[in-house]
Amino acid sequence: MEIYLERKVKRMEFELSERIKMISGENVFKCISCGRCTAICPAAPFMDFKPHQIIHLVRLNDERAVESEAIWLCTSCMYCSERCPRDIDVARVMEALRAINLRKRKDVVALRKLKDLKKLPPMALVASGRKYTG
Amino acid sequence: MSKFVERQRIGVYVCHCGGNISDYVDVKEVVNAVKDYPGVVLAKDFIFMCSDAGQKMIEEDIKKHNLDGVVVAACSPKLHEMTFRNVVTRAGLNPFLFYHVNIREQSSWAHRDRKYSTKKAISHVLAGIEYVKLASALEKIRMKAEKSVLIIGGGIAGIRAALDLSGMGINVVLVEKEPFLGGRTARIWRTHPNGKKGVDVVRGLINELKERDNVVILTNSEVTHVEGFVGNFKVKVHVNPRYVIKNHPRMKEAIDVCPVTVPDEFNYGLTTRKAIYYPYEGAYPELPVIDPKACTRCGECVKIVGDAIDLSQKPMDLEFKVGAIVVTTGFKPYEPKPGEFGYKEYGNVITLPVFDRLLDLSEGGNKLIYNGKEINSIAFIYCVGSRQIPNGSNGKVNEYCSRYCCNATIYRASQLKRKYPHIKQYHFYRDIRTYGLNELLYLKAGEEGAVFIKYPDEEPPKVYGEDGKLIVESKDVVLGGDTVRTKVDLVVLVVGMEPYDTKKISDILSISTGKGGFLQEAHPKLRPVETLKSGIYIAGTAQAPRTISETLISASAASAKAASMLIKGEIELEPRVARVDPEKCNLSKRCVEVCPTGAISFKEYEGLGTKAWVNEAMCIGCGACTAVCPTEAIQLNTLKTTQIKRMIEAAIKGLER
Ligand SMILES: Cc1cc2nc3c(=O)[nH]c(=O)nc-3n(C[C@H](O)[C@H](O)[C@H](O)COP(=O)(O)OP(=O)(O)OC[C@H]3O[C@@H](n4cnc5c(N)ncnc54)[C@H](O)[C@@H]3O)c2cc1C
Ligand code: SF4
Ligand code: SF4
Ligand code: SF4
C-alpha cells in the first residue's frame, strides 16, 4: 500500500491533521509512537489499524484513518487517553474521526432493529449508541 | 653495593572479610600454618583488617615488635593495597616492604571446597612472605617537569583546554593545522540547546584567550615529531607561511583587488572567496591568509598594503619542550558515497553540515533558497554514515552512533519552524536518540508539527527523481511496513562523525586508536581522558563523537589532569621500574628490542664502559626486558627474578603440605 504524503484531498479545504485538531482540539504531532494506547486497547486485536497507527495516519494526512474499521470497533473506554504519556486524548481523536463520517451522514445505529437486546452487554450498547448517533 | 640482608621480622595478617573469606577459608589454620615459618615473628587474624581497629593493630605491632616487613592476606589489592601501604608508612616502615595477598577472589570466592581453598590461601601467603623477605625499600621517583603543555588542534576543545591550563599558570602552545581557530563549531548555524551561533560561541572563548599572555598560538601549523616522556617532551612543529605578516588599514582593499576567486571551503563551496581571505567575520587570528595553491603571485595585493604581505615568506620549523600534551584534533563529517541516498546524483541532496551553512548564509531573508529554487519541503534522512550494518560486502563501516546528529537535526527542526513556518519537514529516522535533557527538544519539534517516520534498520529510504521532482520513499515501521512516498524540494542527509587523521597523530605520539578509529583512552570509566602514554591526554571529538558541551567537559577534564601532573614543577612516579646492574650486563641488547615504550638506551658507566640504562620516566614496569636478559642484569625493582623463584617454591611447598 502506498501513501502520498502530499496527496490533495478532494473538496477538503484542510488537511486531515488540521481537521482533527479543529474537531477534537488534539495535536497528533505530539505522538511519539510508543504504542501504549494500543497495548491497553481492548479492541486493538480486532482492529485493521491499531490506535497508535490511526494517530500516525492522521499525522501523515492519510485518509485511511477516516475509512478505517478501527474507529467503529473502538469502545470509547478511554483507556488509551488515560495511558498516553504525551497527554493525547486518543479516544477523542477516534471520536473526531467518527464525527467526520457521521457528518457525511454515514451509518446510524437503528436500536429498534437489534435482536435480543437484553443479551447484549450493556457496555456495547452504550458504546454503540454513543458512536452511531452523531 | 652493600650485601642485601633478608627481612627477618615479618608480621602476617589474615582477614576474615566478615565471612567473605572466613566462610570458605579456615583463617585460623592459615595463621597456624605460617606463624612459625622462618622470618615470621607474628601472625594474626581479624574480622575486618581494613577497619580502624585492624589498621591500628598492624600499626602498633610494627612499632612494638619492630617488624621489618608486613604481609596482609585479604581482598583484592585493587581495593586495599593503598590502605595498607599507608598503614605501614604511618608506622615508619617503607611502604614497599609490604605485600598484599589476595585470598578472597583467589581462594574463598573461587572454590567451594573449604579444605582446598584454605590450602591455596596458605600457599599464597607463604609466597607473599618470601616476597617480603627479598623486598627492597624504595622511594617514589621524582623528576623535574616542564610547566608547559602542547595542545594539538584549535577547535573548541583545544581553545577550552588552552584557557583552562593558562588559567592555572601553565604555559600553553596551541597548534592548529588550519589558518584560523574554531574548528567545526565555528561553522554551526545555531547550536543546540541554546541557539547561540557557532561563531559566537567560539568568539566568546577566543576573546578570553586573547587576554592571556602565557598562550602561544601557532596556526597553519602541524606537529611533525614528538619524543621524550612525561614532564619532558621534545616537540617539533612545522609552521606554514601565512604570507600576511601584519595588519594594515587598507587590508580590505587588498582582498577586494585580488583577481583570483575560488570556492570557499568554509561554506562547503556555497560561496566563493579570494586567494587572500578571512574565512568568516570575526575569525581569529584577525589577519587574513593567502592560500598558496590559489595565489598566482600577481602582486596586486602587495601594491596596496606593501610590506604587510610577504609573498616570499618561508615555512618555519620550531622545536621546544613541554611537560604534557593534550590532543584535540576533532572529527570530520561523513562524506556519503556518490549515489548513496542520491548524493551527487541529484543536485538537491545535501549533507547536514552544508545545510547548516545554507541556513547561516540565508539568515537575512524569510525564504530559503537553494540552487536558485525556493525550498518548501525538506526530508531529513538520519543515521547516514552512522550505525551502519556490516553485511560482508560493504567493507569497513561505522557501526557507532554519532551522538550529535539526532540532537542537532531536531533542534534545527524547531529553529526552522520558527524562521520558516511554511516549510514542511519529514524526518526519516531509525531511532531517535535525543538522550538526556535533549529529549525535550524532540517532544517540542513533534508538537510543532515535524513529521517523524521510522524506517527499518535493514531498509533505509530510497531517494530518486521523478518528473524533475525529488522523491523519498521509505518503509514505515509504525504502519507495519507500508511504503510512504513524499515529494520534497530538498533532502538533507544527517551525516555522522568520522575520525579525522587519527592514524597520523597516533603514530606521531605512539598512542592508540580504538574501535571506530577514534583516539583511545586508558580506561573508559577510570581514566577517561588519559592515554596509556603517561603525560598525553585526549579530549573532544578526536576521542569519540560528542556534542559541544560534552567536548568542553572532556577538554576541561584533560586540562585538569595535565595540570595536576605538572603544577608542582616536578612529577612523582611509582618506583615500579626496571634497573640495570651494569656489572652483569653483557650488552646482548635484547631488552632494547622488547621494551614496548623504548625506555632502554645505553650509557657510559664509570670503569665499566657502555651498558644498558633504563629511563625510569618511560619504563612502565611491564617486565618484558627481565624475561629476555640472558644474564639477569636487568631487574624490576618491585619483582626481582630471585623473588619470583622463591615465591614459586614457597607456593608449591604450601600446596604439598
Ligand atoms: C552539522 C553539524 C552541526 C552540529 N551542531 C551542533 C549543535 O548544534 N550543538 C552541539 O553541541 N554540537 C553540534 N555539533 C557537534 C560539534 O560540531 C562538535 O561537538 C565540536 O565541533 C567538536 O569540537 P572539537 O574541538 O572536538 O573538534 P573540531 O571542531 O573538529 O576541531 C578540531 C580542530 O583541530 C584541528 N586539527 C585536526 N588535526 C590537526 C592536526 N594534526 N594538527 C593540528 N590541528 C589539527 C582541526 O583543523 C580543527 O580546527 C554539530 C556538528 C555538525 C557536523
Ligand atoms: S499512547 Fe499516545 S504517544 Fe503513545 S502511541 Fe498512543 S497516542 Fe502516541
Ligand atoms: S598575490 Fe595572490 S593574494 Fe595577492 S592579489 Fe595576487 S593572487 Fe591575490
Ligand atoms: S545520533 Fe541519531 S542520527 Fe546520529 S547516529 Fe545516533 S541515532 Fe543516528
Side-chain angles (χ1 to χ4, degrees):
Chain A
M1 205 168 304
E2 294 197 350
I3 310 165
Y4 289 85
L5 290 183
E6 276 161 71
R7 184 171 63 179
K8 279 277 169 285
V9 183
K10 273 183 236 118
R11 284 180 286 107
M12 290 295 178
E13 218 176 311
F14 297 100
E15 287 185 325
L16 180 56
S17 54
E18 284 170 59
R19 274 182 283 149
I20 293 296
K21 182 152 197 184
M22 284 189 279
I23 299 171
S24 69
E26 294 302 312
N27 177 5
V28 292
F29 292 99
K30 275 169 34 184
C31 171
I32 54 171
S33 296
C34 68
R36 274 170 79 167
C37 47
T38 297
I40 197 75
C41 175
F46 314 103
M47 288 176 167
D48 48 355
F49 290 104
K50 317 294 176 199
H52 74 287
Q53 295 179 320
I54 293 282
I55 300 287
H56 189 54
L57 286 173
V58 173
R59 175 161 62 178
L60 297 178
N61 297 314
D62 187 326
E63 294 289 330
R64 280 186 295 168
V66 182
E67 293 147 17
S68 71
E69 230 176 64
I71 55 175
W72 305 106
L73 289 173
C74 161
T75 63
S76 293
C77 67
M78 325 278 269
Y79 270 153
C80 51
S81 309
E82 195 54 45
R83 281 301 174 95
C84 174
R86 297 290 292 138
D87 268 341
I88 299 173
D89 194 336
V90 184
R92 223 178 145 80
V93 175
M94 293 290 200
E95 176 77 357
L97 286 163
R98 290 191 293 265
I100 290 176
N101 280 299
L102 292 170
R103 284 172 193 181
K104 285 190 255 167
R105 304 210 160 273
K106 271 198 185 163
D107 235 355
V108 172
V109 144
L111 280 175
R112 262 171 282 117
K113 285 190 190 159
L114 287 179
K115 293 196 186 95
D116 293 333
L117 209 53
K118 284 205 177 120
K119 280 192 193 160
L120 287 172
M123 181 62 207
L125 272 178
V126 173
S128 62
R130 170 90 194 82
K131 285 186 305 202
Y132 290 86
T133 47
Chain B
M1 232 190 271
S2 62
K3 181 93 185 69
F4 186 85
V5 201
E6 284 189 24
R7 320 231 158 246
Q8 291 302 332
R9 304 197 54 79
I10 297 169
V12 180
Y13 297 87
V14 186
C15 182
H16 296 219
C17 199
N20 265 308
I21 291 171
S22 54
D23 284 354
Y24 282 92
V25 168
D26 185 341
V27 288
K28 297 277 183 218
E29 197 181 326
V30 178
V31 167
N32 280 331
V34 305
K35 71 176 198 304
D36 298 324
Y37 192 76
V40 174
V41 293
L42 62 88
K44 290 178 174 177
D45 63 286
F46 194 65
I47 175 101
F48 282 115
M49 210 59 84
C50 60
S51 67
D52 282 353
Q55 295 192 29
K56 212 171 201 121
M57 174 174 79
I58 302 176
E59 213 178 313
E60 278 167 6
D61 280 354
I62 295 174
K63 290 182 191 149
K64 197 163 130 206
H65 298 281
N66 200 16
L67 300 183
D68 62 3
V70 169
V71 173
V72 174
C75 54
S76 159
K78 278 251 183 278
L79 207 61
H80 277 310
E81 185 175 36
M82 282 321 281
T83 314
F84 295 116
R85 263 208 211 171
N86 290 339
V87 170
V88 169
T89 311
R90 282 204 299 274
L93 201 60
N94 185 285
F96 291 90
L97 302 178
F98 153 76
Y99 193 75
H100 191 116
V101 182
N102 181 356
I103 57 167
R104 192 179 70 180
E105 280 84 341
Q106 308 267 339
S107 298
S108 69
W109 282 0
H111 308 285
R112 279 167 187 240
D113 178 355
R114 191 171 156 93
K115 248 195 156 134
Y116 179 74
S117 61
T118 304
K119 201 166 163 177
K120 187 170 168 190
I122 293 169
S123 139
H124 284 195
V125 174
L126 290 177
I129 295 167
E130 287 302 331
Y131 175 93
V132 170
K133 278 191 192 170
L134 296 181
S136 336
L138 299 170
E139 297 301 330
K140 289 213 162 167
I141 301 165
R142 290 199 166 76
M143 306 222 161
K144 209 181 128 345
E146 295 286 332
K147 250 172 105 172
S148 58
V149 173
L150 164 72
I151 300 174
I152 311 177
I156 192 122
I159 299 172
R160 180 71 261 170
L163 276 171
D164 289 349
L165 285 162
S166 110
M168 288 184 270
I170 289 174
N171 296 332
V172 174
V173 184
L174 176 56
V175 173
E176 167 58 52
K177 185 154 99 172
E178 301 292 326
F180 300 92
L181 297 183
R184 300 276 168 191
T185 306
R187 294 174 167 185
I188 300 175
W189 174 44
R190 292 182 179 280
T191 57
H192 78 72
N194 62 3
K196 228 175 156 176
K197 294 189 78 161
V199 254
D200 295 337
V201 176
V202 169
R203 192 65 213 190
L205 291 180
I206 287 178
N207 284 344
E208 269 182 69
L209 198 62
K210 276 166 65 180
E211 306 293 312
R212 304 293 168 90
D213 52 14
N214 56 353
V215 179
V216 175
I217 299 171
L218 300 173
T219 48
N220 249 352
S221 306
E222 270 190 84
V223 174
T224 50
H225 185 79
V226 171
E227 62 179 45
F229 43 88
V230 56
N232 286 287
F233 289 107
K234 232 197 252 151
V235 179
K236 285 188 188 151
V237 175
H238 182 77
V239 185
N240 287 309
R242 189 175 196 90
Y243 304 107
V244 182
I245 315 287
K246 58 185 180 198
N247 242 321
H248 190 280
R250 294 179 66 196
M251 195 56 87
K252 215 184 143 318
E253 276 172 69
I255 296 175
D256 290 342
V257 83
C258 175
V260 182
T261 307
V262 289
D264 184 355
E265 57 282 270
F266 184 79
N267 289 327
Y268 300 98
L270 293 176
T271 55
T272 56
R273 61 162 172 82
K274 295 297 181 69
I276 173 170
Y277 70 103
Y278 294 105
Y280 58 91
E281 186 76 30
Y284 190 84
E286 288 140 359
L287 205 57
V289 64
I290 291 179
D291 170 0
K293 279 192 230 116
C295 172
T296 59
R297 322 268 145 176
C298 68
E300 290 297 326
C301 55
V302 183
K303 282 184 200 154
I304 291 174
V305 296
D307 65 353
I309 290 178
D310 172 7
L311 288 175
S312 62
Q313 195 184 19
K314 294 277 165 303
M316 256 190 313
D317 284 292
L318 304 178
E319 227 182 288
F320 49 89
K321 273 183 148 188
V322 292
I325 300 174
V326 178
V327 191
T328 51
T329 47
F331 69 102
K332 69 170 193 281
Y334 173 79
E335 175 72 11
K337 295 179 196 74
E340 193 178 349
F341 298 103
Y343 189 64
K344 299 263 169 178
E345 225 173 299
Y346 304 101
N348 279 19
V349 178
I350 61 176
T351 62
L352 187 66
V354 181
F355 183 59
D356 237 33
R357 294 313 306 145
L358 176 69
L359 290 170
D360 201 12
L361 295 167
S362 314
E363 275 285 354
N366 51 10
K367 277 185 187 169
L368 189 62
I369 293 173
Y370 182 69
N371 255 348
K373 195 178 153 209
E374 193 186 343
I375 306 297
N376 288 311
S377 54
I378 304 176
F380 295 92
I381 301 177
Y382 286 56
C383 292
V384 176
S386 306
R387 306 178 65 209
Q388 291 170 318
I389 303 167
N391 61 17
S393 65
N394 52 358
K396 192 198 145 286
V397 296
N398 300 334
E399 291 182 76
Y400 52 84
C401 162
S402 291
R403 233 177 134 79
Y404 88 94
C405 17
C406 277
N407 298 321
T409 313
I410 280 167
Y411 186 65
R412 274 149 198 69
S414 279
Q415 297 285 317
L416 273 174
K417 185 80 194 170
R418 204 177 302 169
K419 183 123 202 285
Y420 309 102
H422 61 284
I423 296 184
K424 286 224 170 79
Q425 304 177 26
Y426 304 104
H427 296 254
F428 291 89
Y429 71 99
R430 252 174 85 181
D431 293 293
I432 296 292
R433 295 192 168 173
T434 43
Y435 53 90
L437 295 176
N438 297 322
E439 180 71 0
L440 306 178
L441 300 178
Y442 167 49
L443 299 181
K444 184 157 173 279
E447 232 166 285
E448 291 167 348
V451 176
F452 290 90
I453 297 161
K454 181 171 165 74
Y455 68 82
D457 290 1
E458 306 275 355
E459 229 177 315
K462 294 186 193 69
V463 178
Y464 54 88
E466 205 176 81
D467 311 328
K469 294 266 164 33
L470 210 47
I471 309 264
V472 180
E473 181 182 302
S474 174
K475 291 266 165 76
D476 186 336
V477 172
V478 174
L479 291 182
D482 278 4
T483 301
V484 171
R485 280 162 41 97
T486 180
K487 265 184 275 173
V488 288
D489 300 326
L490 189 69
V491 172
V492 176
L493 304 180
V494 178
V495 292
M497 290 185 177
E498 284 195 329
Y500 180 35
D501 267 354
T502 44
K503 172 89 186 58
K504 196 164 147 205
I505 200 77
S506 61
D507 282 350
I508 292 175
L509 298 172
S510 312
I511 56 176
S512 26
T513 53
K515 260 193 184 152
F518 292 91
L519 299 178
Q520 193 168 35
E521 62 283 327
H523 189 289
K525 289 175 201 146
L526 304 177
R527 294 167 67 197
V529 293
E530 293 163 70
T531 63
L532 285 175
K533 192 132 180 227
S534 183
I536 300 187
Y537 305 88
I538 51 179
T541 48
Q543 187 185 1
R546 279 182 179 140
T547 63
I548 294 173
S549 63
E550 292 158 355
T551 293
L552 294 178
I553 290 167
S554 66
S556 288
S559 314
K561 272 279 169 194
S564 68
M565 192 82 149
L566 304 176
I567 212 139
K568 282 182 270 172
E570 65 167 25
I571 45 176
E572 272 189 356
L573 301 171
E574 284 287 303
R576 195 176 290 128
V577 292
R579 271 183 194 154
V580 176
D581 179 349
E583 288 182 17
K584 286 191 185 162
C585 172
N586 71 352
L587 278 184
S588 79
K589 302 193 181 175
R590 288 194 204 159
C591 52
V592 181
E593 285 160 32
V594 297
C595 178
T597 62
I600 309 172
S601 56
F602 298 94
K603 84 165 196 193
E604 220 41 55
Y605 289 84
E606 226 183 282
L608 296 167
T610 305
K611 302 281 163 161
W613 172 78
V614 177
N615 183 333
E616 295 184 344
M618 290 169 80
C619 172
I620 53 169
C622 70
C625 51
T626 66
V628 297
C629 179
T631 58
E632 292 187 4
I634 195 161
Q635 291 285 300
L636 278 184
N637 263 342
T638 46
L639 197 59
K640 289 164 263 197
T641 311
T642 43
Q643 249 171 330
I644 298 176
K645 284 182 189 153
R646 289 265 291 270
M647 285 173 83
I648 294 172
E649 279 163 18
I652 293 172
K653 233 184 269 162
L655 286 177
E656 283 169 351
R657 273 162 43 96

